[in-house]
Amino acid sequence: MWSQMNRAAEEFYSRLLQGFDEEKKGICKDPFIYEADVQVQLISKGQPNPLKNILNENDTVFILERVPLEKEETSHVEELQSEETAISDFSTGENVGPLALPVGRARQLIGLYTMAHNPNMTHLKINRPVTVLPPLWVRCDSSDPEGTCWLGAELTTTNNSITGIVLYAVSCKADKNYSINLEELKNSHKKRHHLSTVTARGFAQYELLKSTTLDDTVPASQTTVTLDISWSPVDEILQIPPLSSTATLNIKVESGDPRSPLSHLHRELKFLLVLADGLRTGITEWPAPLEAKSAVELVQEFLNDLNKLDGFGDSTKKDTETVKHDSAALDRSIECLFTVRCDLDFAEQLWCKMSSSVISYQDLVKCFTLIYQSLQRGDVQPWLHSGSNSLLSKLIHQSYHGTMDTVSFSGTLPVQMLLEIGLDKLKKDYISFFIGQELASLNHLEYFISPSVDIQEQVYRVQKLHHILEIIVSCQLFIKPQHELLFSLTQSCIKYYKQNPLDEQHIFQLPVRPTTVKNLYQSEKPQKWRVEINSGQKKVKTVWQLSDSLPVDHLNCHKPVTDFSELTLNSSLEERISFTNMVTCSQVHFK
């Protein structure tokens, strides 16, 4: 038996070391299989970490779980698992998420990891000195009386020499009537680790904004804004964070929510992207029109109105009022966050009409032909904002002098012409907002509005700028922060997007003073509340956490000790089940 265990420890260590070395070299980042039933994944620092919901872990770790079973393998489930952890949903063949291992199997894997790193196990055929591998965490099925959902092991070192290991156990329970006392937690930690004094550090997370589903056709947006607060010392369980705490806003915004005051601008951006794709690929997938009249009719009416007004005159006012009315489903308080500019020039008004009505390449050709002929005859002499380099603006300036270049509206030219005037219009919209709100200067925005890069890159940068705008307006609308915070957030987003690609899943973090956001959390129930007790040793700790949602993503895949899904679904809002986690640890010294 001992020889089998020794061999198992050697093989387990060798496979973990291979995965660790490959990840460092960038060779392979996919999970690998160990002994047919265990899937091993190395999660690097900064990647989404399933332990973050409990331990706020963000370092490199090994995550071990059950290998996902294919349909044809379901008949062998009995050979791979105990009766207590039978998986109920495999017969459907559906993706049931991460899968846990039996607690006994998890303990065995933790034991092999511990043996391999123990410097006293000199008989093991392992190269010395032993490489210090990242912490190892195993998903557990909660089949034991304690309801263990994670087991973990983390090495302790001194001068790169392994001196011991800390073994963790995490339990999870659903309980409406939880009862816990801070002093009991402290005394328990003192007794377990033979300590005389301990400190307690608190953490609370408040959900300030979470989008909900409108109906079956409009899914919920991924937009979320949370407030993380940490402090020390902690006076009592569920203590309201004091104003001396450290606080951070976490902001993730998905563009395109139809309830957003920017929905009309986002629609224009989407049309701009359609044109850019068409220019790049030669295939344009035209969206459904928003107007009852055709694009050609709208443009002809627009030119007729200009001709009657002998220039530009009141047409600007009329058109901006129409645009405002089209987005008029906005509340007045929302409308003031992003108002439609009242200085739309000829090309911008043309964009507003064509972007909502053009449904084919032929529409584009006919519209630009009408405009070209009207300019040639001198029927209209529209004004433009300065600074545009679009082909249409050049033709208009030429028309002032009675001579115009001959233009053939064929190939990709009509698409490029509409793309150019759309780019100019959207850039001015964003400039107007950021400068008008005193959140950025032209110098700050230069990267996003520069015409010196090719048109595809210009579109991509404008898309980034729109995402920044969505973030700022969402915060203005739901959090109503002071201007100082909005300015800091804007500058943080600008800096990020100058260096990184567009990423609407990125969480922007903004440190804030609790005094500036106290009205957002002091009377609210936290989404998550946690206390961590230790004596100065970071790895040796006891953690108790209360959360309003299941913090362990693999428990709902099994027949749990307590039916979590039934508890949450069948409870009224007033009796919503809370979930408690307890993290305990024991330290083993090798030397």
Side-chain angles (χ1 to χ4, degrees):
M1 185 183 79
W2 285 109
S3 61
Q4 288 181 339
M5 285 186 62
N6 291 339
R7 191 160 52 252
E10 293 164 358
E11 292 174 356
F12 188 49
Y13 171 80
S14 174
R15 191 64 189 90
L16 292 178
L17 180 61
Q18 180 185 344
F20 183 51
D21 288 340
E22 288 177 352
E23 198 277 339
K24 283 196 299 183
K25 296 174 183 176
I27 298 174
C28 178
K29 293 187 178 181
D30 295 329
F32 60 86
I33 307 302
Y34 172 73
E35 286 193 350
D37 64 327
V38 180
Q39 178 171 279
V40 183
Q41 183 172 10
L42 183 59
I43 296 181
S44 301
K45 184 173 183 177
Q47 289 183 319
N49 192 321
L51 294 165
K52 189 173 179 63
N53 285 333
I54 301 169
L55 290 170
N56 203 28
E57 282 287 342
N58 201 32
D59 290 329
T60 300
V61 292
F62 281 109
I63 299 293
L64 276 61
E65 57 193 41
R66 179 181 292 282
V67 172
L69 300 182
E70 302 295 336
K71 285 184 181 180
E72 60 269 19
E73 295 176 286
T74 58
S75 60
H76 303 293
V77 169
E78 292 79 4
E79 298 173 15
L80 299 174
Q81 61 183 37
S82 64
E83 292 181 3
E84 293 84 357
T85 61
I87 300 171
S88 60
D89 294 326
F90 278 128
S91 59
T92 65
E94 296 176 355
N95 179 12
V96 291
L99 305 178
L101 290 159
V103 175
R105 177 63 163 143
R107 289 195 178 113
Q108 180 189 42
L109 295 168
I110 293 290
L112 297 178
Y113 177 88
T114 304
M115 279 181 63
H117 284 93
N118 189 338
N120 300 313
M121 296 285 181
T122 54
H123 58 282
L124 294 180
K125 298 175 182 178
I126 294 174
N127 290 335
R128 308 288 172 173
V130 176
T131 300
V132 180
L133 292 177
L136 183 99
W137 285 86
V138 189
R139 295 182 187 271
C140 301
D141 59 10
S142 297
S143 57
D144 61 334
E146 292 77 23
T148 303
C149 57
W150 285 99
L151 286 177
E154 184 172 2
L155 300 168
T156 57
T157 60
T158 302
N159 298 325
N160 293 324
S161 175
I162 298 172
T163 57
I165 193 167
V166 180
L167 304 174
Y168 297 95
V170 182
S171 63
C172 181
K173 296 180 180 179
D175 189 1
K176 287 190 294 186
N177 304 311
Y178 59 87
S179 60
I180 194 73
N181 181 281
L182 182 60
E183 288 306 312
E184 289 176 2
L185 284 175
K186 289 181 177 179
N187 290 334
S188 173
H189 187 84
K190 288 178 183 178
K191 184 177 179 180
R192 184 181 300 109
H193 301 288
H194 310 290
L195 302 168
S196 57
T197 59
V198 294
T199 59
R201 184 166 186 82
F203 170 85
Q205 183 177 83
Y206 295 84
E207 192 173 69
L208 306 183
L209 170 62
K210 182 177 182 180
S211 183
T212 55
T213 304
L214 274 176
D215 53 49
D216 293 339
T217 61
V218 183
S221 165
Q222 296 301 306
T223 295
T224 58
V225 179
T226 60
L227 177 66
D228 289 354
I229 308 179
S230 57
W231 71 97
S232 184
V234 178
D235 297 329
E236 60 181 350
I237 295 294
L238 299 185
Q239 174 187 355
I240 296 174
L243 296 180
S244 57
S245 305
T246 301
T248 302
L249 279 171
N250 306 294
I251 303 158
K252 182 177 76 169
V253 175
E254 182 181 34
S255 302
D257 191 322
R259 294 162 290 192
S260 167
L262 300 174
S263 59
H264 64 290
L265 198 63
H266 184 259
R267 186 193 59 77
E268 292 183 36
L269 176 66
K270 284 176 66 179
F271 189 74
L272 197 75
L273 295 173
V274 166
L275 296 175
D277 286 343
L279 195 62
R280 187 178 68 254
T281 65
I283 301 173
T284 306
E285 303 205 3
W286 304 98
L290 298 180
E291 302 287 349
K293 293 182 179 181
S294 71
V296 176
E297 288 178 292
L298 288 173
V299 170
Q300 185 64 70
E301 287 180 3
F302 179 46
L303 294 173
N304 291 341
D305 288 343
L306 288 181
N307 195 12
K308 291 175 186 176
L309 292 167
D310 190 28
F312 205 66
D314 294 334
S315 176
T316 308
K317 181 179 178 182
K318 177 181 176 183
D319 194 79
T320 51
E321 285 178 350
T322 301
V323 175
K324 282 186 180 180
H325 179 71
D326 289 342
S327 55
L330 304 176
D331 180 90
R332 292 295 171 191
S333 63
I334 298 177
E335 199 171 304
C336 68
L337 294 178
F338 189 89
T339 54
V340 177
R341 288 187 294 116
C342 294
D343 63 341
L344 298 183
D345 67 10
F346 173 80
E348 291 171 328
Q349 289 193 63
L350 197 61
W351 163 260
C352 290
K353 293 181 182 298
M354 293 179 67
S355 64
S356 61
S357 60
V358 169
I359 58 171
S360 68
Y361 177 80
Q362 289 71 27
D363 276 354
L364 274 187
V365 174
K366 290 176 183 178
C367 288
F368 281 122
T369 300
L370 281 174
I371 295 162
Y372 184 79
Q373 291 172 348
S374 184
L375 290 171
Q376 264 191 328
R377 293 192 301 265
D379 295 343
V380 293
Q381 286 193 323
W383 70 272
L384 295 171
H385 291 299
S386 60
S388 173
N389 293 316
S390 70
L391 176 56
L392 181 62
S393 68
K394 292 176 182 176
L395 292 174
I396 290 172
H397 283 297
Q398 289 174 0
S399 73
Y400 295 160
H401 307 288
T403 57
M404 293 174 60
D405 292 340
T406 300
V407 178
S408 174
F409 296 106
S410 59
T412 60
L413 183 63
V415 176
Q416 176 149 345
M417 286 181 67
L418 189 57
L419 179 58
E420 287 175 347
I421 63 176
L423 260 177
D424 283 346
K425 192 264 182 185
L426 289 180
K427 285 179 182 179
K428 287 187 176 67
D429 286 339
Y430 299 133
I431 291 170
S432 175
F433 174 84
F434 287 109
I435 292 182
Q437 296 282 325
E438 298 182 350
L439 297 173
S441 65
L442 273 177
N443 188 46
H444 292 139
L445 301 174
E446 174 62 24
Y447 166 83
F448 302 97
I449 62 176
S450 172
S452 61
V453 294
D454 70 75
I455 198 162
Q456 296 291 342
E457 178 64 20
Q458 288 184 57
V459 171
Y460 186 60
R461 293 184 183 186
V462 161
Q463 198 177 359
K464 290 182 180 182
L465 195 55
H466 180 87
H467 189 223
I468 297 175
L469 180 62
E470 293 265 11
I471 292 168
I472 302 305
V473 170
S474 294
C475 289
Q476 276 186 310
L477 182 58
F478 296 103
I479 302 176
K480 299 177 175 61
Q482 296 175 353
H483 182 269
E484 169 192 356
L485 289 180
L486 276 181
F487 180 82
S488 297
L489 178 58
T490 304
Q491 296 304 311
S492 173
C493 293
I494 287 174
K495 181 179 179 182
Y496 176 83
Y497 271 139
K498 283 182 178 179
Q499 302 168 349
N500 296 281
L502 178 69
D503 180 9
E504 295 199 352
Q505 296 305 307
H506 179 74
I507 298 174
F508 290 91
Q509 294 189 311
L510 181 66
V512 295
R513 293 190 300 273
T515 51
T516 64
V517 292
K518 62 180 181 180
N519 61 309
L520 298 176
Y521 75 86
Q522 285 191 331
S523 60
E524 299 296 324
K525 180 183 176 183
Q527 177 190 15
K528 188 184 299 178
W529 194 97
R530 179 168 68 236
V531 61
E532 179 180 309
I533 298 167
N534 61 44
S535 60
Q537 299 181 61
K538 181 181 176 183
K539 297 179 181 179
V540 180
K541 56 193 172 186
T542 296
V543 179
W544 182 87
Q545 176 177 287
L546 179 72
S547 56
D548 64 8
S549 59
L550 185 61
V552 183
D553 58 359
H554 57 264
L555 286 187
N556 57 356
C557 301
H558 299 265
K559 285 183 178 177
V561 177
T562 308
D563 193 339
F564 295 114
S565 58
E566 183 178 333
L567 284 169
T568 52
L569 289 175
N570 294 341
S571 301
S572 66
L573 289 176
E574 291 76 13
E575 298 179 335
R576 187 179 180 89
I577 296 298
S578 296
F579 297 90
T580 58
N581 288 106
M582 178 74 84
V583 181
T584 57
C585 71
S586 56
Q587 188 171 19
V588 179
H589 297 281
F590 293 147
K591 296 180 179 180

